[in-house]
Amino acid sequence: MTAVMDRDRILDLFRETGAMLEGHFLLSSGKHSDRYFQCALLLEHPRKAETLAQELAQRVRSVHTQPYDVVVGPALGAVTWAYEVARALNCRGLFTERKGEEMELRRGFQIKPTDRVLVVEDVMTTGGSAREVIALLTRMGVRPLATGCIVNRSGGNPFEQDGLPLFALADVNVQAWDPAACPLCKQGSRAIKPGSRPDA
Ligand SMILES: [Zn+2]
């Protein structure tokens, strides 16, 4: 089977649900950006989440024909996403949690070294959270087979050197600037924190 949703269709879903904000944003990194993704606003629609997960599953299956056993993603962002992808792949869906600095598998969740594991994030910004999940799996003697995400804004595959393919539904090049170099600031607008309302 071939992929049925192209990048434009996926970005339309983000626009329709208000999950892709276009404007002038202050990111947690301190940089300013013209776009911000809030996947929770898309994933709050179960049917849409299901459609995206099926699309990802189809792309994974087209390369990895052997069934997966586990999909795992970091809380909180990837909890529902990992669950939906697991449903689409007909396997278990787990999430990891941070306790202080450490990423942990809690609640009695178990992954065996023989399990075929897919690591997912909703938005892959630098791949940092997925990398923490992979490090945790490695400590457990588990070697994941691939990573997956809805939006990849990392500009490539952060796990290429680890030999892990990245299945991304949409690669998006998001511009980010240091405040001093921000063209939107120069035009006179003010950056807002995503999630907060712009000043009237
Ligand atoms: Zn700015």
Side-chain angles (χ1 to χ4, degrees):
M1 277 199 283
T2 51
V4 293
M5 295 179 83
D6 63 8
R7 178 179 177 279
D8 287 344
R9 177 69 196 111
I10 285 157
L11 292 182
D12 279 347
L13 273 179
F14 274 86
R15 285 195 192 92
E16 281 166 24
T17 55
M20 182 174 74
L21 304 172
E22 289 163 294
H24 185 188
F25 303 105
L26 171 61
L27 305 178
S28 52
S29 63
K31 292 194 171 187
H32 290 190
S33 177
D34 59 356
R35 241 191 271 194
Y36 183 78
F37 289 92
Q38 181 49 274
C39 278
L41 294 177
L42 173 47
L43 297 175
E44 74 175 17
H45 303 281
R47 293 277 185 255
K48 291 185 168 76
E50 184 182 25
T51 303
L52 288 174
Q54 282 170 351
E55 176 68 23
L56 186 72
Q58 206 175 96
R59 294 187 193 190
V60 170
R61 280 201 191 107
S62 69
V63 180
H64 294 162
T65 47
Q66 242 186 296
Y68 271 81
D69 299 300
V70 172
V71 177
V72 60
L76 278 165
V79 173
T80 48
W81 178 233
Y83 186 80
E84 281 298 331
V85 174
R87 188 210 303 270
L89 284 171
N90 192 24
C91 68
R92 293 187 294 134
L94 278 52
F95 55 86
T96 63
E97 295 163 86
R98 253 194 211 93
K99 193 180 176 189
E101 296 289 290
E102 282 286 289
M103 195 68 95
E104 291 184 348
L105 198 60
R106 302 169 75 180
R107 300 171 196 271
F109 282 149
Q110 296 205 351
I111 306 179
K112 299 194 296 282
T114 50
D115 283 336
R116 293 172 58 82
V117 180
L118 175 68
V119 175
V120 295
E121 273 200 74
D122 50 357
V123 178
M124 193 81 75
T125 305
T126 60
S129 298
R131 191 167 291 287
E132 286 180 67
V133 175
I134 293 166
L136 165 65
L137 293 173
T138 304
R139 289 198 296 277
M140 299 167 61
V142 178
R143 161 117 182 107
L145 295 169
T147 60
C149 64
I150 306 172
V151 170
N152 176 24
R153 36 176 299 189
S154 73
N157 174 1
F159 308 103
E160 198 169 1
Q161 297 207 326
D162 308 275
L164 292 176
L166 168 63
F167 295 94
L169 292 182
D171 288 288
V172 179
N173 186 15
V174 177
Q175 296 272 5
W177 306 276
D178 287 323
C182 176
L184 300 168
C185 283
K186 289 201 177 85
Q187 285 165 24
S189 73
R190 232 185 80 202
I192 59 162
K193 268 193 178 164
S196 64
R197 289 172 174 279
D199 291 341

